[in-house]
């Protein structure tokens, strides 16, 4: 009875608690974290922490706002098995009523350290970013933010952690986190700030290949640590390794400096983990389908993720927008400048895909055509300016595919790319071809390089800094140029850069091989530029483009295609009907199921199939010049 009463008092005392403000003081003492990932393939990770403390109330935080994910995506739902004790005695903990990522605990008198144990239960398969699937039977990525609690009220740079990791027997690891030693499967890392720890994930795998991208004398060294679900997936297509090895030299030729001690591409090749890329200052965690680099057909679907995440070492980590330079993982992020952070990275990343030869110029144009067409047909741009997709990143990054044409998605990536291509063309025109966006990035992201024995640091920037640096390259009304594009609700995409670089967006009646490969990988049919539909493999309407025939007739996402012109639906039948309607007076008849009810819709559409491509216009072909290899 007495104990029960005490417990009630204890719990109620935190009911209206507040989180501590962030001080600039270093956290006293070093926190140790020991992660047991020896059973990674079961998707269960254990961590033990020893946290030096002082008696009294304390707040422990689970990382919430994850850098590079631009949102509160820390997987607190998968933080399980949490136990806190002092000197062997279990302590009562209580989650904050409002902030689900905060744990309150009262440190007893005479206690100098807390022992925390926790589990991270990784979901199987897909999911969002690092909170999605992180382990298969043969590989895993350890994201330290998922394995730690940290004391509230301190900057991540000012809390020191000493980490160790136990890997599965026989697996190898790769990471940018400086290592202190290894005993069997246990790796001991040098002390680092919480910031660097979270910024330095570890890839592990039974089949792990280390591919140096710089020669032994090259400084700073760059390597790829590639884990795959099979040995066969590590046998890359001819030329791929050579193209990958061109990345550091092309990046240095572009930026003119480096800001890392050494750099690790942590690449997972697996069909059983979430697919995405996440940037870090000295590494990146990119996860793509198993056969992407070894299978002819799937190689066509390789997007620009590998150089994109590498470019982020300069644009996003070394240069970081104000609002995304958070002091710890509790402080909310502000995404307004993501059209620079991601949009410029998308432009430079795709440019490096071509400059290294990972993409042919034709493949680059196929990608650009698809991005341009998608944006040029995006109905939501009539109500939502691009800048609002940046600002609302934390809602859009988990938005469903349905209605995304009207809602808009994270368009600051691809539309940012179009804007930076146009800015590049403006610079070239204003300077008679003497300067380009390369000059901007050399001023903005370039010298001085990180010195020997220095820890990476960053320089924050604002919108004004971007405008001022562009003006330094060549005087122009950059503020107006950018604001017009960022705040526009024009139905048309900014295609001025495509046009000025010698190309125009047109539509053909044959899908190219890349579009076909993407359809196969994503399990959908894309007839969005003709009748305005994206249809999944099970015939469900994934999206319906406003102002296109299907949407005008009343067909919307979530409905299901049953029949085309009276015959049971399949993808080829739909394409054939669209093609044949071009020479017919008859409407295309679609029988559609909508929540158990059936209805026939008639589409008076006679323009045939439409797939985007770029075609030369009468201007000089500057785009091909932009994509030419630049490294000596
Ligand atoms: Zn990015």
């Amino acid at each position: 009875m007495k104990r029960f009463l005490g417990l009630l008092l204890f719990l109620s005392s935190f009911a209206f608690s507040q989180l501590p403000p962030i001080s600039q003081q270093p956290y006293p003492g070093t926190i140790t974290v020991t992660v047991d990932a020896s059973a990674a393939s079961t998707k269960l990770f254990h961590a033990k922490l020893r946290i030096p403390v002082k008696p009294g109330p304390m707040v422990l935080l689970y990382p919430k706002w994850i850098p590079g994910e631009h949102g509160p995506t820390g997987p607190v739902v998968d933080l399980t098995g949490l136990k806190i004790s002092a000197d062997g005695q279990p302590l009562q903990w209580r989650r904050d009523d409002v902030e689900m990522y905060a744990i309150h605990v009262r440190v007893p008198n005479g206690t100098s350290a807390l022992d925390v144990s926790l589990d991270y239960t990784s979901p199987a398969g897909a999911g969002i970013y690092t909170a999605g699937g992180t382990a298969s039977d043969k590989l895993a990525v350890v994201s330290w933010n998922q394995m730690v609690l940290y004391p509230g009220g301190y900057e991540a740079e000012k809390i020191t952690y000493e980490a160790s990791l136990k890997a599965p027997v026989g697996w190898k690891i790769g990471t940018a986190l400086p290592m202190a030693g290894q005993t069997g499967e246990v790796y001991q890392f040098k002390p680092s700030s919480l910031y660097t720890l979270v910024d330095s994930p570890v890839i592990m795998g039974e089949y792990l290949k280390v591919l140096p991208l710089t020669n032994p004398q090259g400084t700073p060294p760059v390597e790829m640590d590639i884990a795959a679900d099979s040995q066969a997936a590590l046998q890359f297509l001819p030329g791929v390794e050579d193209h990958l090895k061109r990345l550091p030299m092309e990046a240095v030729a572009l930026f003119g400096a480096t800001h890392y001690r050494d750099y690790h591409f942590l690449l997972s090749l697996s069909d059983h983990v979430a697919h995405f890329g996440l940037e870090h200052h000295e590494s990146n965690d990119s996860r793509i389908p198993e056969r992407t680099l070894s299978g002819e057909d799937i190689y066509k679907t390789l997007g620009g993720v590998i150089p994109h995440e590498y470019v982020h070492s300069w644009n996003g980590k070394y240069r970081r927008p104000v609002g995304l330079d958070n002091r710890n993982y509790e402080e909310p992020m502000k995404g307004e400048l993501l059209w620079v952070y991601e949009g410029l990275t998308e432009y430079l990343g795709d440019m490096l895909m071509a400059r290294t030869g990972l993409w042919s110029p034709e493949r680059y144009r196929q990608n650009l055509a698809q991005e341009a067409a998608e944006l040029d047909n995006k109905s939501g741009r009539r109500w939502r300016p691009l800048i609002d997709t940046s600002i609302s990143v934390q809602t859009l990054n988990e938005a469903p595919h349905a209605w995304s044409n009207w809602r808009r998605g994270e368009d600051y990536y691809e539309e940012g790319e179009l804007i930076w291509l146009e800015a590049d063309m403006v610079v070239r025109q204003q300077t008679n071809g003497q300067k380009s966006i390369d000059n901007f990035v050399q001023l903005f992201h370039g010298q001085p390089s990180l010195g020997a024995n220095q820890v990476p640091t960053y320089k924050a920037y604002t919108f004004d800094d971007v405008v001022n640096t562009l003006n330094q390259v060549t005087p122009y009304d950059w503020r107006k140029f950018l604001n017009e594009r960022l705040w526009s609700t024009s139905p048309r995409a900014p295609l001025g850069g495509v046009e000025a670089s010698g190309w125009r967006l047109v539509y053909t009646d044959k899908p190219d091989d890349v579009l076909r490969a993407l359809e196969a990988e994503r399990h959908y049919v894309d007839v969005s530029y003709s009748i305005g539909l994206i249809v999944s493999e099970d015939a469900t309407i994934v999206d319906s483009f406003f102002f296109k025939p299907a949407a005008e007739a009343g067909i919307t996402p979530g409905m299901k295609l049953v029949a085309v012109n009276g015959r049971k639906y399949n993808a080829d039948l739909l394409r054939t009907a669209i093609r044949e309607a071009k020479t017919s007076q008859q409407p295309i008849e679609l029988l559609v199921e909508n929540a158990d009810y059936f209805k026939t819709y008639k589409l008076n559409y006679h323009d045939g199939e439409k797939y985007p491509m770029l075609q030369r216009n009468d201007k000089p072909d500057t785009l091909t010049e932009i994509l030419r290899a630049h490294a000596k």
Side-chain angles (χ1 to χ4, degrees), residues 396-463:
L396 290 177
N397 61 14
E398 295 196 62
H401 200 158
W403 297 107
S404 57
N405 183 262
W406 181 237
R407 179 191 300 112
R408 299 197 75 167
E410 295 166 278
D411 290 357
Y412 51 84
Y413 282 88
E414 286 83 13
E415 195 158 326
E417 179 168 16
L418 292 181
I419 291 171
W420 283 102
L421 169 60
E422 195 173 2
D424 196 351
M425 289 310 302
V426 170
V427 171
R428 287 166 192 267
Q429 282 162 352
Q430 293 293 110
T431 61
N432 293 317
Q434 296 303 302
K435 290 185 177 178
S436 68
I437 214 68
D438 297 37
N439 297 88
F440 168 81
V441 301
Q442 281 160 23
L443 283 172
F444 204 71
H445 305 89
Q447 294 288 350
S449 281
L450 187 71
N453 306 318
Q454 282 185 314
V455 176
T457 181
Y458 75 93
K459 277 169 76 179
Y461 67 83
T462 62
F463 179 76

Side-chain angles (χ1 to χ4, degrees), residues 68 70 277-279 308-309 312 315 341-343 345-346 412-413:
H70 317 311
L278 181 64
E279 63 274 22
H308 176 107
E309 305 309 339
H312 272 316
N315 186 44
Y341 183 119
E342 295 294 2
T345 300
E346 194 73 358
Y412 51 84
Y413 282 88

